[in-house]
Amino acid sequence: MRKYSSLRILVVDDEAILNKLIQSQLQRMGHIIVGSAFNGATVIEMTAALKPDLILMDLHMIDPETGKNDPEAGIKAVREIQKNTPTPVIMLTAYETPKLVKLSVDAGVGAYLLKPVQDNELERAIIISITRFEDMQALRRMNSELAKANMNLIAEVSARIKAEETAQMQTRQMTALYETSVAITSQIELGDVLSIIVQKAANLMGVEIAGLYLMDENTQVLNLVVTHNFPEEFLGTTLKPGEGLAGQVFTSGKPRFIEDYSTWEFRSAVFDSLNLHRFLAVPLKFSGRVMGVINVGDSANIAPFTEAEILLLQLFADQAAIALDNARLYANVTRETNFRKTIEDSIPSGISVFDLEGKITYVNPGFCQMIGYSNEELLGQAAPYSYWPKEAAEHHKTRFASVLKGEFPETGKEFQLIHKNGQLIDALLLVSPIKDDLDKTTGCLYAVTDLSALKIAQNKMRQSEELYRSMADNFPNGMVALFDRDFRCTLVAGESTSLLEKYNIVIEGKTIYSINMGFNIDLTYWEIMFKEALSGSRKATEVAFYDRFFSVHLIPIQPGPLGYEKVLLLTQDITDRKQHEASVVESEARHRAVVEDQTDFICRLLPNGQISFVNDAFCMYYDKQHNEIMGQVIVPFLPLEEQSLSRFLETELTFDNPLVSLESSIQQSDGSLRWQQWTVRGLFDDKSALLELQAVGFDITERKQSEEDLMIMVTHDQLTGLYNRFYFQAEMERLNNGRSYPVSIILGDVDGLKYINDTYGHYAGDELLRQIGAILKKAFRPEDVVARIGGDEFAILLPHTSKAKTHEIMNRVQDLLDIHNNGEERPKELWEVSGIGISLGAATAIEGKALTETYKKADKAMYKEKSKRPSRGTGPLTGK
């Protein structure tokens, strides 16, 4: 990019100090200051007299006639300058809006900068501004030449009757080119400019198809970004430089016409299906650089493009390139503005700037939000400030006075601020000097970080660790461990820790890489498992540990900005189950060697379902004699009640599929269910006719019970018998996508659980949780999901439940608690406590509302209810 030095520059800023600083900055960069102005009227006169190479114009200036600040003074001055004495202009401002940016660009501003400006930013803006000014001047000259050419053509038409048709065509083309250039240059949004370029190119050339390729600077490929009458699937097609017609034109920088693209040997295979004939491509150039390529053509066999038409499209492309660069500049300015605004608004720390007199000159949104005062209320304040606590005002004032004298503390200091609502805020203060280009201190910057949330978070972290340790200590036949993002174990507890002690294995405080298990483990496998868990995936596996087998579950917890902060590792000893499975496998293998598919009981039956044979095991299982079963239909013993036997034989059991597996259940005399696994084999003759059926079955009641027990263990809380957090979250996700609205969520927090645990022991605390679980289960419907989601936290999902109905239910819960507290059902350890209490909060979601937001609202309502109670404990001790 070309650089400029020793430019004659006119500086315009109504603040004398800033005007002088900008002059010093420009002189340091090697430029010449031809003059300075302080208002719009003066700069117009000085521009006409001095003819500067460049003007640095302040956007907001004082109107000398009215004495008021005019936010568009610079724009008005630029319009007059470009009308009378066209000169490159860079606009400077401390504030910006998309509206002012657009007005500035429309007025002829070449670049738009936010004060203060760094040298590299200013140098780049100078290059862009002068380049755009030269391009715009070239465009004006071109338009002037086009207008002259247009007039010449019109005159030639009048003078030359014989060339009337040709001249009229050229006149129409030039007029269309002029109108097209006006239409393109009037656009500022990048997407609109791209669409209009392609549409206008097709209209200008009178073609069927048009497309626009742009060079991607990152991937260095041409992307087909906009099309006209192309099939949709071609949008986004890419070409390398030199590939196809567009790629060759991009590389050469010159137009190229192909008379019949369908037979051209270098055509891109991507467009073979279009059957294109005449095809013309011209480069989009700006400042000697090719930005992209415009393609136009027809699928019909039409006469070739003339040299005049090719020149016409190239002229159009040159103007389109200027409009495209303007749109990109506007997009970049808007994006940078929005980016800076987003950063400033998103900084959580409070930032305030003071001048040497102690007056506040700037505060960011984070500081306003922290202390509750608006920007307008703070700007211009002097010490003592409204956010200083009165009792500490003198101390703060003394420290602040030393800062204004240049005595800046090297490290941060903790101090207190007071919110507008009177709440005290613990904060960390960092003070930095603000210096000008001459290294002279002009003020100071205070960075304030609210420590209240940090202290609360630290307290919650300690409580969380206590919760997980309590859960682990009550986790039967297993172990609970917590790992952080460095794969370091921060907590381990549970019955199975005795096995670690047996083999002198220490894992708490160590990473998975430094734990000595006494044998080699696949660290890569575990590293992948932990990484996926920290990303939000629940992982499960089984491992052998010396002479025991364990199921291992990795559960992500504590969401954070980088994913999840910790992984909860749960293990369960499954050695007995493994041994049982091994014995079952061994037994099946032994019996399979005796009779194919034999398990416990066997029967044979005719195609009509009539039983022709049963073994002793069959009779014993169903508690019947042979003569009671023989000749009977198999329906009572196999699960065929819901479909006819003939349909089963026609659809399920065929010559090509002679083996079918079924599960069935029968009710015992005591009301219990027994489950069976059946294998039914059809015996066919050589003509595919069914001769007989053989059914082999065995009892799977224990397996079914194990599956049911496992499902209960996975979905229920072992202490209260209610659903657990995992089941609750799964149901909340299911209802979120279902048709059960309105859906209500009730969250509850038990009062005083820690007090009970500390005073009477964890057994009493467990009994308190069990009683609350029983009360909640009694208060809700069977279809409601009542869950314990944490140590003292309960949650209920209520499908098809309105807000009013939800509050009725909450009252019912309170009534049941009152009845319980007035009765004699609670353990003697709890008689000294005034009563069981639980703080409830609820929220209701209508269709279309995310349940995650409803959960947050219920949580907020619950804590609001918690805060209303006189004590967060269970209550005072009262003798009985």
Side-chain angles (χ1 to χ4, degrees):
M1 184 178 286
R2 179 183 175 186
K3 294 187 176 181
Y4 297 88
S5 60
S6 299
L7 294 174
R8 300 172 63 257
I9 299 177
L10 175 59
V11 179
V12 186
D13 197 306
D14 60 351
E15 294 187 29
I17 294 177
L18 290 179
N19 195 314
K20 206 67 179 176
L21 286 175
I22 295 171
Q23 291 183 42
S24 300
Q25 187 177 9
L26 290 168
Q27 289 172 340
R28 188 176 65 251
M29 294 169 63
H31 299 295
I32 301 169
I33 307 303
V34 298
S36 62
F38 300 91
N39 56 65
T42 305
V43 71
I44 294 171
E45 297 175 358
M46 293 181 70
T47 301
L50 299 174
K51 300 291 191 300
D53 298 324
L54 177 69
I55 301 173
L56 264 66
M57 178 79 71
D58 190 14
L59 176 62
H60 301 258
M61 290 186 289
I62 302 297
D63 188 323
E65 295 182 1
T66 63
K68 295 182 179 179
N69 184 30
D70 185 359
E72 296 182 14
I75 296 174
K76 295 173 182 177
V78 171
R79 291 196 185 106
E80 289 297 319
I81 290 170
Q82 301 301 354
K83 185 190 300 182
N84 302 317
T85 315
T87 306
V89 178
I90 297 174
M91 189 67 75
L92 298 175
T93 182
Y95 308 96
E96 80 292 343
T97 65
K99 175 185 175 182
L100 292 177
V101 173
K102 187 176 187 307
L103 290 174
S104 300
V105 173
D106 292 341
V109 171
Y112 197 98
L113 293 176
L114 300 178
K115 296 184 290 187
V117 182
Q118 300 298 322
D119 289 358
N120 58 343
E121 293 179 327
L122 184 55
E123 186 65 37
R124 184 174 180 272
I126 290 172
I127 295 170
I128 293 173
S129 179
I130 294 178
T131 301
R132 293 189 69 242
F133 178 77
E134 292 173 352
D135 290 339
M136 291 301 296
Q137 289 296 97
L139 178 61
R140 291 190 182 97
R141 289 193 297 270
M142 183 186 299
N143 287 338
S144 176
E145 291 173 3
L146 288 174
K148 291 178 182 178
N150 191 22
M151 295 303 296
N152 291 337
L153 286 173
I154 295 173
E156 187 177 347
V157 168
S158 301
R160 301 180 181 181
I161 302 300
K162 293 181 181 180
E164 179 179 357
E165 184 176 348
T166 302
Q168 287 178 350
M169 181 183 299
Q170 291 177 340
T171 301
R172 287 195 299 271
Q173 290 177 340
M174 290 298 151
T175 302
L177 178 61
Y178 178 77
E179 294 173 349
T180 299
S181 66
V182 172
I184 294 175
T185 54
S186 65
Q187 299 297 321
I188 195 68
E189 295 291 342
L190 183 59
D192 295 340
V193 171
L194 293 173
S195 298
I196 290 178
I197 287 175
V198 174
Q199 181 184 352
K200 294 296 184 181
N203 295 341
L204 182 66
M205 302 303 292
V207 295
E208 176 187 351
I209 295 172
L212 173 61
Y213 283 92
L214 287 182
M215 169 56 67
D216 188 319
E217 298 297 338
N218 294 324
T219 62
Q220 289 297 303
V221 296
L222 289 164
N223 289 315
L224 185 58
V225 295
V226 185
T227 63
H228 176 73
N229 283 341
F230 267 91
E232 290 185 4
E233 60 267 22
F234 290 101
L235 195 63
T237 298
T238 61
L239 294 175
K240 297 178 181 178
E243 181 183 359
L245 182 59
Q248 291 189 7
V249 169
F250 178 83
T251 302
S252 67
K254 297 179 180 179
R256 184 162 186 185
F257 166 62
I258 304 299
E259 189 169 343
D260 190 351
Y261 186 83
S262 62
T263 61
W264 186 46
E265 59 178 331
F266 300 109
R267 69 184 183 279
S268 173
V270 176
F271 300 111
D272 282 350
S273 60
L274 293 180
N275 192 29
L276 297 172
H277 288 282
R278 69 169 186 171
F279 217 47
L280 173 63
V282 297
L284 281 169
K285 291 183 180 180
F286 179 76
S287 296
R289 178 174 59 90
V290 180
M291 305 166 60
V293 177
I294 297 177
N295 284 355
V296 296
D298 293 285
S299 59
N301 198 353
I302 305 176
F305 290 106
T306 65
E307 291 185 4
E309 288 175 322
I310 295 174
L311 175 61
L312 182 68
L313 186 60
Q314 183 62 71
L315 291 173
F316 168 80
D318 292 341
Q319 297 178 67
I322 295 174
L324 179 58
D325 188 72
N326 288 342
R328 280 179 167 176
L329 174 64
Y330 174 73
N332 289 337
V333 170
T334 303
R335 183 165 54 251
E336 184 176 350
T337 298
N338 293 337
F339 178 71
R340 291 189 179 186
K341 178 67 172 173
T342 301
I343 290 178
E344 178 181 314
D345 291 345
S346 63
I347 293 176
S349 298
I351 304 294
S352 56
V353 177
F354 306 85
D355 60 20
L356 293 180
E357 295 180 357
K359 291 184 179 179
I360 300 176
T361 60
Y362 169 81
V363 290
N364 74 330
F367 189 71
C368 294
Q369 184 177 2
M370 184 184 300
I371 62 175
Y373 290 92
S374 67
N375 185 287
E376 292 75 13
E377 291 175 306
L378 294 173
L379 289 181
Q381 275 196 26
Y385 305 105
S386 54
Y387 51 84
W388 282 355
K390 291 183 179 179
E391 59 274 14
E394 287 301 320
H395 176 67
H396 286 344
K397 191 171 183 180
T398 302
R399 292 176 60 183
F400 186 67
S402 66
V403 169
L404 294 179
K405 295 177 182 178
E407 300 173 4
F408 297 96
E410 295 182 359
T411 58
K413 299 290 184 181
E414 288 193 22
F415 73 125
Q416 283 191 323
L417 303 177
I418 187 168
H419 193 276
K420 189 176 182 179
N421 61 14
Q423 178 183 356
L424 287 175
I425 303 169
D426 293 317
L428 178 69
L429 174 65
L430 296 173
V431 185
S432 302
I434 298 177
K435 298 186 178 183
D436 58 18
D437 293 337
L438 300 177
D439 201 35
K440 181 180 179 181
T441 300
T442 60
C444 59
L445 181 145
Y446 271 39
V448 182
T449 302
D450 189 345
L451 297 180
S452 304
L454 176 61
K455 292 184 177 180
I456 292 173
Q458 291 172 342
N459 184 48
K460 286 185 176 180
M461 184 66 72
R462 287 192 295 272
Q463 293 176 356
S464 176
E465 294 286 345
E466 292 174 3
L467 170 64
Y468 290 126
R469 190 174 295 278
S470 173
M471 180 178 69
D473 290 338
N474 291 278
F475 190 55
N477 199 28
M479 183 180 72
V480 175
L482 274 178
F483 288 83
D484 59 21
R485 293 192 64 83
D486 295 325
F487 308 152
R488 186 180 304 278
C489 179
T490 60
L491 176 148
V492 60
E495 291 183 5
S496 292
T497 55
S498 60
L499 196 60
L500 298 177
E501 296 172 359
K502 176 181 177 181
Y503 294 103
N504 296 321
I505 298 172
V506 177
I507 68 172
E508 188 163 3
K510 294 189 175 184
T511 68
I512 61 174
Y513 310 107
S514 59
I515 297 173
N516 182 11
M517 301 297 291
F519 52 86
N520 292 330
I521 61 173
D522 188 349
L523 285 176
T524 302
Y525 171 78
W526 286 103
E527 182 180 10
I528 293 173
M529 292 272 284
F530 272 88
K531 284 182 178 179
E532 291 181 355
L534 287 169
S535 298
S537 299
R538 296 183 181 181
K539 311 301 293 183
T541 187
E542 293 183 0
V543 298
F545 185 76
Y546 290 95
D547 59 343
R548 311 296 295 174
F549 288 91
F550 290 86
S551 67
V552 181
H553 296 266
L554 275 68
I555 303 168
I557 59 174
Q558 295 183 9
L562 300 177
Y564 285 81
E565 296 298 322
K566 292 196 175 183
V567 172
L568 180 67
L569 184 144
L570 302 176
T571 71
Q572 195 83 30
D573 192 327
I574 57 171
T575 306
D576 293 341
R577 193 193 81 190
K578 279 288 187 180
Q579 292 174 348
H580 175 70
E581 290 175 352
S583 65
V584 170
V585 171
E586 181 182 353
S587 175
E588 289 182 350
R590 185 168 59 252
H591 285 80
R592 192 177 295 111
V594 179
V595 179
E596 184 180 359
D597 295 326
Q598 180 179 347
T599 53
D600 287 334
F601 28 90
I602 304 173
C603 68
R604 301 187 79 166
L605 52 149
L606 300 175
N608 62 2
Q610 188 177 21
I611 298 174
S612 60
F613 168 81
V614 292
N615 67 349
D616 290 342
F618 189 102
C619 297
M620 292 176 62
Y621 185 80
Y622 289 105
D623 194 23
K624 292 183 180 294
Q625 300 296 322
H626 278 76
N627 58 2
E628 294 181 274
I629 298 176
M630 295 297 292
Q632 299 297 317
V633 179
I634 194 64
V635 169
F637 308 103
L638 288 179
L640 302 174
E641 296 88 342
E642 296 181 2
Q643 55 182 332
S644 67
L645 180 61
S646 60
R647 180 170 179 79
F648 169 77
L649 297 177
E650 292 173 359
T651 59
E652 299 293 333
L653 203 64
T654 65
F655 181 82
D656 296 325
N657 185 35
L659 193 66
V660 177
S661 294
L662 303 169
E663 288 187 2
S664 65
S665 64
I666 59 172
Q667 189 169 16
Q668 303 290 88
S669 58
D670 60 358
S672 62
L673 283 179
R674 301 293 297 178
W675 285 86
Q676 308 84 37
Q677 173 75 47
W678 288 96
T679 301
V680 182
R681 180 182 294 277
L683 305 176
F684 297 85
D685 62 12
D686 56 356
K687 296 181 180 180
S688 302
L690 180 64
L691 299 177
E692 196 174 22
L693 296 94
Q694 177 176 291
V696 180
F698 60 93
D699 189 275
I700 59 170
T701 304
E702 290 184 2
R703 193 195 79 191
K704 282 287 187 180
Q705 186 62 47
S706 297
E707 291 174 352
E708 184 177 347
D709 292 343
L710 181 61
M711 181 58 68
I712 291 175
M713 183 180 72
V714 171
T715 60
H716 285 70
D717 172 52
Q718 294 185 1
L719 179 63
T720 62
L722 302 177
Y723 290 115
N724 59 19
R725 171 184 286 275
F726 309 125
Y727 184 82
F728 178 86
Q729 290 176 337
E731 282 298 289
M732 189 167 72
E733 183 176 351
R734 182 181 68 81
L735 290 177
N736 190 67
N737 301 318
R739 300 181 179 179
S740 300
Y741 287 90
V743 177
S744 294
I745 297 178
I746 298 176
L747 295 181
D749 189 276
V750 178
D751 296 332
L753 178 61
K754 186 176 185 303
Y755 172 82
I756 293 295
N757 285 333
D758 294 345
T759 306
Y760 302 103
H762 287 282
Y763 172 80
D766 290 347
E767 182 59 31
L768 173 64
L769 291 172
R770 278 192 286 268
Q771 290 192 21
I772 289 180
I775 292 170
L776 291 177
K777 193 170 184 179
K778 186 187 299 184
F780 293 95
R781 305 167 297 186
E783 62 267 28
D784 298 331
V785 179
V786 184
R788 179 187 175 210
I789 61 173
D792 57 356
E793 297 179 84
F794 293 81
I796 303 95
L797 273 173
L798 300 97
H800 300 296
T801 305
S802 65
K803 182 178 181 181
K805 186 65 177 178
T806 301
H807 284 288
E808 290 180 12
I809 295 172
M810 292 171 67
N811 291 334
R812 184 164 71 234
V813 172
Q814 190 58 54
D815 292 341
L816 289 173
L817 284 172
D818 293 341
I819 292 171
H820 183 277
N821 289 332
N822 294 327
E824 298 184 358
E825 298 176 4
R826 48 188 170 150
K828 61 181 181 180
E829 293 90 345
L830 302 180
W831 270 115
E832 292 183 340
V833 182
S834 61
I836 295 175
I838 181 169
S839 300
L840 298 176
T844 301
I846 60 175
E847 188 167 2
K849 297 295 184 180
L851 289 184
T852 52
E853 295 300 319
T854 307
Y855 183 97
K856 294 177 182 177
K857 292 180 180 178
D859 188 62
K860 184 176 181 181
M862 183 267 289
Y863 277 105
K864 183 177 181 181
E865 174 65 21
K866 193 85 171 176
S867 67
K868 295 179 181 178
R869 294 176 178 260
S871 171
R872 296 179 70 90
T874 302
L877 296 178
T878 55
K880 177 177 168 72

